[in-house]
Amino acid sequence: MMTDPELLSEVLNNSPSVELLRLRNREITLLFLYNVFYRHREPVAYEALRMRLTDYLASIHLERDEESDIHDFDSYEEKAYKYIQRWTDKGFLRNYQEEDGEVFYELSSYTSKTLDWLLSLRREEFVGTESKFMGLLGQIKDLVEFTNEDTSERIRMLEAKKMEIEHQIQSLRAGENAHVYEEYQVLPRFRNITQTAKELLSDFKEVEDNFKTITKSIYQKHAEGASSKGDILGFTFDALDNLQRSPQGKSFYAFWDFLMTPSMQDAWDKMVAELYGAIDSKQMRQEDYFLRNMKSYLYKSGKKVYQANDKMADKLSRIICESSGKQMVATQRVIQDIQSLLLQLAQKNEKPDISLEIETLPDIAMPLERRLTMERFQEVSYEKVLEVAGADISGAEHADSLFVNHSVDRAVLKQRIHAALKRRKQVSLAEVIEQNGGLEKGLSELFGYIGVLRGFRHLIHPERTQTVLFNEAEQKSIVIPEIIVLK
């Protein structure tokens, strides 16, 4: 077991969290990752991430970053591509592939914890020493009670609690006012609860990383070819057993079962709603609504843990079901040699210099290009002279359709959606359009709304549809799937 100085040295030299804080452009990097990932707690598809990063780099006019091999002559698209690759290689971001082949990115546990820690350093308006002390006192009482195996002592503790509760009931029945927390007691406790909830998501990512580490070890042992199927299977079961028996594994599985209990979900929703209702009724200033969506965040994070487990099981299944024919064995040996070399390069954090040599010239087909030919070009001659029209083009019917006489301001559309979400936690796109007097600029405005939805959390229900009127004069409408925008 490492001593504290050894642990500090290990963290300072090898932790991606420390390396993130050492970056020269750390402020630019952290602000972007916070706005894109940390605030919404949602994975982002690669193309959407690259586009948002391209726009961000262009808005701050970033020219060069020698640490990330970014130069003045690189386009902003190239700079975004290099940043994403570097952040992933360094462990600031992690990615995974969906069944349809689309790649999604999200914060690694290192980056998530780094942002948690940085936000915890902000200077508070007042330090809630009373709430911290009472929290410590409550935890000490809890530990003293549930580490005591003496039955008679436990009964004495429970009887004391019972007497205290009965005394409170009798006081209320006698007409005394109920003890209620004041603002200086409520807000620090609320902030501590919210901060703990955010840290819980980072813990989920660590458990997921543990499953992925086991999967990588399976890949490595299989690629090396020195272990039999039985050895790999035994290694996997031992690793899983150790993970499940570890304090972290026990805590995760117990919490996950607790979270999946329907009665627990109902109780959680009820308590959170009552908490925010009480704070709002007392007109206490707070802007963090993380707890309202925490259940869905935890469910998604826990689901990824089980997906990582399923991926590991799938890899094991493929190894066990592999054919052992001579040709198959030879092919597998070549593949394993390639995988082994790639794993060695990955451990050294090196990219292989691999190229593909084509023995024949490529066959390039460019059907829209003008062909090279020796034939002479035949000029077309016109014998009839066109007559000049008597009327001006402005008098031509439907001439205005040839010109763009209006444009859609996407900033205005975003403001409308933000305004609707201030009043409600969720709203449909059709309701946003209706609240703003319908579509003034036709289908182009509707497509503008759909385009700006990338910046909002939203759900699409293809099985339910909504009718949107886009031309009131001619009563033209379009049927679209129901789109729900979430706060």
Side-chain angles (χ1 to χ4, degrees), residues 455-469:
F456 295 86
R457 294 178 55 244
H458 62 277
L459 299 173
I460 300 177
H461 301 293
E463 69 279 2
R464 297 200 292 266
T465 59
Q466 293 181 326
T467 302
V468 179
L469 185 68

Side-chain angles (χ1 to χ4, degrees), residues 24 26 34-35 38 81 86 126 129 134 141 149 160 177 188 191 214 269 278 280 308 315 328 354 368 386 390 403 468:
R24 293 177 186 173
R26 55 184 170 270
Y34 172 83
N35 288 323
Y38 191 85
Y81 169 79
R86 179 172 175 79
F126 62 90
T129 51
M134 295 305 294
K141 286 182 179 178
E149 298 179 358
N177 293 328
R191 294 190 185 111
I214 297 175
D269 291 338
D280 292 340
K315 178 59 182 175
M328 182 63 70
I354 298 176
L368 299 182
L386 298 177
F403 305 98
V468 179

